[in-house]
Structure formats: C-alpha cells, structure tokens
Amino acid sequence: MNIGLWILMIIGGIFGVGLVGGTVIGMIGVIIYKIYRSCRYHISLYD
C-alpha cells in the first residue's frame, strides 16, 4: 500500500481511539458526579 494511506490510517485510528476514550471517560465522570450529588445532597440519580 501507499505510504500516504498508511499515515492516513494511523492518524484516523489515533483520532478514533481518542474520541471513544474521551466519551467513555466523560460517561464515567457523569456517573461518579451523579452518585456524589446523590450522597451529598440527597438528589435523585435521574435528575
């Protein structure tokens, strides 16, 4: 394959992994924040 295509695939792969990783970290952060609010302020997890 062409070297340009390899570079494009590598950059796209890194971008994809970063995007999925950021989404997962964001979801975990929201869940932890909701549990903290629930324990501290007695607010429902669904609010």
Side-chain angles (χ1 to χ4, degrees):
M1 292 178 71
N2 191 354
I3 189 71
L5 288 177
W6 276 106
I7 292 171
L8 190 62
M9 285 193 305
I10 291 170
I11 292 171
I14 291 170
F15 182 75
V17 168
L19 192 64
V20 170
T23 302
V24 169
I25 290 170
M27 289 174 137
I28 291 170
V30 167
I31 291 169
I32 290 172
Y33 177 68
K34 283 184 169 284
I35 292 171
Y36 167 76
R37 279 191 340 156
S38 175
C39 292
R40 172 105 181 176
Y41 302 112
H42 305 291
I43 298 172
S44 173
L45 289 174
Y46 302 108
D47 285 340

